[in-house]
Amino acid sequence: MSDDLRRLAELFLVARRPVAFTGAGVSTESGIPDFRSPGGLWDRFDPREFTYQNFIGSEGGRRRYWELGRVTYPVIRAARPSAAHLALAELHRLDRLDCCITQNIDDLHQRAGLPPDKVIELHGNATRTRCLECGAAYTRDEVHAWLETRDEVPACRKCGGVVKPTTVLFGEPMPAPALQEAERRARAADLFVVLGSSLVVYPAAYMPAHARHAGATLAIVNLEPTPLDAQAELVIREKAGVAMAAVVEEVRVSARRDEPLGQRAAP
């Protein structure tokens, strides 16, 4: 184990409110492509077509969105939690994680074992949908089955209204409750660990800045430089899964040795 990874494990051991912040780099390790990278989905589809305004404004806009969904959702559904997802779930079981704030929409944190109330999804969740008129909820599996059996734009089975995934589209406001809770938890954290995020998508990328300004130790695990590297006390150029698997093993060994783990305060 490198000195930096050992240091990150020590930070988790002594922190009272450690918070993780995950980005696309965590999900790419599960086989979910990064849309923005060369050869990614935005090389095949024009992101300007997939705005919230286009979705709610016309049936043609919705049809185009669901054409994209037919391509992307099976990839998300087939993905399995990565080593980073599993490590965060284990840190929760060891009482070493206050919550996980995520930019990802794939539900993999929950599938890895993190309780839903410990996952704050800033950009929504691709596995759930709802009717914009009556609020009826449908799983994405249900809606995907409609798409596979009928060549039509999904409509609510109760009222005929527009059915939309709970993901945040371009031009759509982020869910205020999630944004407010993420900011509250970031400001209350004493350790804030960024995993696999370039920190260029706002307002999500404000979260580590909120934590740092409130006095938290900021650690960044990312393969590429980020705009906040200079503010971080620890920067690790490594894959999130590799780093967190090593960190959680060190934390687990320390817990077995009954070393002091610190006292956690209520969030």
Side-chain angles (χ1 to χ4, degrees):
M1 174 180 269
S2 71
D3 290 342
D4 284 346
L5 290 177
R6 186 170 287 106
R7 173 61 178 151
L8 183 56
E10 291 171 353
L11 289 172
F12 271 106
L13 284 164
V14 301
R16 300 172 66 207
R17 293 190 182 94
V19 170
F21 178 91
T22 60
V26 171
S27 291
T28 56
E29 294 179 28
S30 290
I32 297 175
D34 180 355
F35 288 6
R36 293 180 176 82
S37 296
L41 209 63
W42 296 141
D43 282 350
R44 297 164 54 194
F45 293 88
D46 184 350
R48 292 171 296 183
E49 293 186 60
F50 302 100
T51 65
Y52 180 67
Q53 290 73 20
N54 282 350
F55 186 90
I56 64 173
S58 72
E59 182 171 334
R62 291 190 288 279
R63 181 177 297 278
R64 186 63 173 151
Y65 174 85
W66 289 112
E67 289 173 359
L68 174 67
R70 290 183 71 169
V71 175
T72 58
Y73 182 66
V75 176
I76 291 173
R77 193 70 187 87
R80 295 294 178 264
S82 69
H85 294 111
L86 296 172
L88 291 176
E90 180 65 10
L91 286 172
H92 164 71
R93 285 189 285 271
L94 293 169
D95 198 28
R96 293 291 90 211
L97 187 69
D98 181 57
C99 70
C100 175
I101 303 169
T102 187
Q103 297 172 282
N104 301 330
I105 61 172
D106 46 44
D107 205 53
L108 287 174
H109 285 300
Q110 295 89 326
R111 289 165 60 188
L114 265 182
D117 64 351
K118 293 293 184 179
V119 183
I120 302 172
E121 296 171 315
L122 295 177
H123 295 158
N125 188 305
T127 70
R128 299 190 290 268
T129 74
R130 66 181 178 87
C131 173
L132 296 182
E133 272 72 42
C134 72
Y138 302 94
T139 69
R140 186 65 175 270
D141 286 343
E142 289 179 273
V143 174
H144 192 74
W146 301 347
L147 291 169
E148 292 294 284
T149 57
R150 304 177 184 87
D151 183 21
E152 62 183 33
V153 175
C156 180
R157 294 314 195 235
K158 295 183 178 179
C159 75
V162 173
V163 172
K164 177 188 171 297
T166 61
T167 49
V168 176
L169 304 184
F170 295 114
E172 181 180 6
M174 289 172 61
L179 192 61
Q180 292 164 3
E181 180 65 3
E183 183 173 341
R184 184 182 77 83
R185 301 296 267 270
R187 292 186 182 279
D190 56 356
L191 172 64
F192 196 95
V193 181
V194 175
L195 299 170
S197 176
S198 58
L199 298 180
V200 296
V201 178
Y202 290 87
Y206 285 125
M207 298 306 152
H210 289 321
R212 187 71 187 91
H213 293 159
T217 298
L218 177 61
I220 297 175
V221 180
N222 199 55
L223 288 172
E224 302 296 332
T226 81
L228 290 184
D229 284 359
Q231 297 185 37
E233 296 187 31
L234 183 62
V235 176
I236 300 174
R237 295 279 177 257
E238 182 57 272
K239 290 183 176 180
V242 171
M244 292 308 297
V247 165
V248 79
E249 181 58 27
E250 182 73 8
V251 171
R252 190 186 291 118
V253 169
S254 296
R256 284 200 297 263
R257 289 200 302 256
D258 293 324
E259 293 184 355
L261 295 180
Q263 298 296 316
R264 297 288 306 280

